[in-house]
Amino acid sequence: MKKLINDPARVVDESVEGFGQAHADLVRVHTDPLFVVRADAPVQGKVGLVSGGGSGHEPLHAGFVGAGMLDAAVPGAMFTSPTPDAIAPATTAVDGGAGVLHIVKNYTGDVLNFETAAELADAEGVEVRTVIVNDDVAVEDSLYTAGRRGVAGTLLVEKIAGAAADRGDDLAGVAAVAERVVGSVRSMGVALAAGTVPHAGTPSFELTEQEIEIGIGIHGEPGRRRIPMAGADEITELLTTPVMDDLGITGEDQVLLLVNGMGGTPLSELYVVYRAARRLLEGRGAQVTRSLVGNYVTSLEMQGASVTVLRLDDELTTLWDAPVRTAALRW
Amino acid sequence: MKKLINDPARVVDESVEGFGQAHADLVRVHTDPLFVVRADAPVQGKVGLVSGGGSGHEPLHAGFVGAGMLDAAVPGAMFTSPTPDAIAPATTAVDGGAGVLHIVKNYTGDVLNFETAAELADAEGVEVRTVIVNDDVAVEDSLYTAGRRGVAGTLLVEKIAGAAADRGDDLAGVAAVAERVVGSVRSMGVALAAGTVPHAGTPSFELTEQEIEIGIGIHGEPGRRRIPMAGADEITELLTTPVMDDLGITGEDQVLLLVNGMGGTPLSELYVVYRAARRLLEGRGAQVTRSLVGNYVTSLEMQGASVTVLRLDDELTTLWDAPVRTAALRW
């Protein structure tokens, strides 16, 4: 294993420390327990948004802390849920008196730990609501999940709910917007080659030079099936068709198309996938009115990509377009 | 070779087509010859900025086309200079009557082709000046270069010269600002593993599981030396010390620190490198007042990173902070 790290046991702490130094205008890093809050937290009167999960998916979640998106992110160890004793103080730290929304990817450990943290914060007088993101259509249930997994759609929930909080929606309102995004977003991914978790030292799974895995999870957990390597258009169709089918995409729809890199695939290839996915959506008559292409919800240096489609309406479009100022997403 | 492409001969065209679709609010793509211009080009009265080079370094250069940065980017084939018959029409397309600055990374093919294109544009009545970026301190002369290579510092030249053009500097003024950045910026990189050029089909070079290459070029051309794998702090010192020495960094300096990923290294590791490089700069008494961390000047899916330091003054800082609106850099 070759990695730009000093010690597998220290990589998350050192990385988050560097992140805090590089983005001191946007965030503050709290150590022991480890969490990241926006520099001006808590924002009085605004609903606070907290997300988190295992590390290794950067820029998710700390890269999305800042005005118009998350108020706090709680990084766990690599591919390991953060514990309630980190999530709870992050929650109270960003409560500006209007309560806090937890945005949680649907993995059993995350769901349980955020639930416990919500109870701890509630005991401190902070009202918490929770939204569970489960956009991955590849599999029902999985290694770490009851039900579908939460993947790249999470960033769309964070952005749009963040804009709702920013415009002054109350906790029930922000939660309702977040739930509406969850109900309208679906994803599916592919892996060409695995990443390596530092403390494991070997790749999370093995694929031969002729094999890819359709429906891969962001921790390398199994997808739908392994198939022989194919062209980008064909692979993209295997990802996009189930997403469109699950959403029931028709000629009536305006959509946001996110092509997300898993960390080790060149940007040039992500745009090849984007081109193919867009053509498929347009083939059903849908209009792609918003787009995002890049490495946002990664799996270390995994080679691969995912396709995410969000059905838009005027309100979601307006919230998507609202200003955002974070390390990884800014306009 | 497993890549998300359809055909090695079509990957650049398809990728740029997807890029143009995803960012139609920012850019227009011209095909045959292939180049990318900002959507509102030419901007009357403003100096036009044109850059380009072989593909495979995305988001460089097309990702930096937009308000406050480049007016046009000319992508060549993978790792292959664009030809004068593409550079020249890109140049005339963005001339708003104030002339055009060519920003060229120092590779022999690029330098010659941009020179020929400048002559062609001149024959059409467009005044062109050229600045050559040569920030890589790793080697004097190389596989494709007389003198030092141009690497990640290029994006700093493009951003800062773009801001100078935006505030209304004339061609000589924009060129002078660009030259000042070139004179104040140095870089050095490391590779842990090579990327694969699609039409080649095999990695550009081979490193064993125990070996890394210090001073690597962004086309995989040889660096200073191969050494056994080491910790991130030690590797970062091998990159940062020559950069600081070449710049003559002392306690008087305010600097911008860019830690750039080569495409296949997780963002978490780039922040570990950032933390180490920052400590080295601060160890000399320098102040890191601006920072950028991410995959900006890549080498396909190469695993590795580079450290770039730019000595700042008030004017360069103001120009760096000026608004920019491109696919890959926006604030």
Side-chain angles (χ1 to χ4, degrees), chain A residues 2 23 192 208 211 271, chain B residues 2 23 192 208 211 233 271:
Chain A
K2 289 190 288 187
H23 305 292
L192 279 60
T208 69
E211 230 180 8
Y271 282 110
Chain B
K2 290 190 287 187
H23 305 292
L192 280 61
T208 69
E211 229 180 11
D233 286 358
Y271 281 110

Side-chain angles (χ1 to χ4, degrees), chain A residues 271-289:
Chain A
Y271 282 110
V272 172
V273 171
Y274 174 87
R275 171 182 173 275
R278 184 180 175 114
R279 195 159 49 177
L280 292 163
L281 284 158
E282 291 176 346
R284 291 214 185 174
Q287 262 187 286
V288 179
T289 57

Side-chain angles (χ1 to χ4, degrees), chain B residues 62-313:
Chain B
F64 302 132
V65 172
M69 211 160 165
L70 296 179
D71 293 83
V74 192
M78 284 286 168
F79 289 3
T80 303
S81 175
T83 52
D85 68 312
I87 304 167
T91 302
T92 54
V94 301
D95 178 41
V100 173
L101 183 70
H102 282 176
I103 299 174
V104 185
K105 301 193 298 300
N106 189 34
Y107 299 96
T108 305
D110 292 281
V111 171
L112 288 175
N113 287 346
F114 271 89
E115 193 175 300
T116 304
E119 286 161 11
L120 293 171
D122 182 72
E124 306 261 327
V126 179
E127 189 184 1
V128 177
R129 294 189 60 154
T130 301
V131 57
I132 308 285
V133 186
N134 63 348
D135 54 314
D136 188 345
V137 301
V139 292
E140 282 293 333
D141 305 333
S142 75
L143 268 188
Y144 311 116
T145 325
R148 294 193 315 232
R149 301 173 299 217
V151 290
T154 310
L155 100 87
L156 307 183
V157 178
E158 293 176 357
K159 167 65 184 83
I160 291 173
D166 230 31
R167 74 176 173 188
D169 287 14
D170 64 12
L171 182 55
V174 175
V177 165
E179 290 290 2
R180 214 145 61 74
V181 178
V182 171
S184 309
V185 66
R186 299 290 186 277
S187 302
M188 192 156 144
V190 61
L192 280 61
T196 296
V197 178
H199 64 253
T202 53
S204 305
F205 56 95
E206 291 289 347
L207 288 167
T208 69
E209 256 308 301
Q210 304 306 326
E211 229 180 11
I212 62 177
E213 178 134 353
I214 299 288
I216 195 76
I218 56 172
H219 311 93
E221 59 273 48
R224 286 194 175 185
R225 61 185 191 279
R226 294 188 173 188
I227 63 166
M229 184 60 199
D233 286 358
E234 192 181 329
I235 294 170
T236 304
E237 184 161 6
L238 293 173
L239 305 181
T240 310
T241 299
V243 164
M244 293 192 300
D245 287 349
D246 202 277
L247 276 175
I249 291 292
T250 71
E252 304 297 302
D253 289 309
Q254 298 202 335
V255 301
L256 183 157
L257 171 57
L258 161 61
V259 173
N260 174 64
M262 293 294 191
T265 285
L267 193 54
S268 51
E269 297 179 27
L270 300 183
Y271 281 110
V272 172
V273 172
Y274 173 88
R275 171 182 174 275
R278 184 180 175 114
R279 195 158 49 178
L280 293 162
L281 284 158
E282 291 177 345
R284 290 214 185 174
Q287 262 186 286
V288 179
T289 57
R290 294 294 182 275
S291 300
L292 189 68
V293 181
N295 290 287
Y296 292 104
V297 180
T298 63
S299 181
L300 293 163
E301 71 278 18
M302 186 195 283
Q303 290 181 18
S306 60
V307 171
T308 297
V309 177
L310 168 65
R311 177 183 282 118
L312 290 170
D313 58 26

Side-chain angles (χ1 to χ4, degrees), chain A residues 96-110:
Chain A
V100 173
L101 182 70
H102 282 176
I103 299 174
V104 185
K105 300 193 298 301
N106 189 34
Y107 299 96
T108 305
D110 291 281

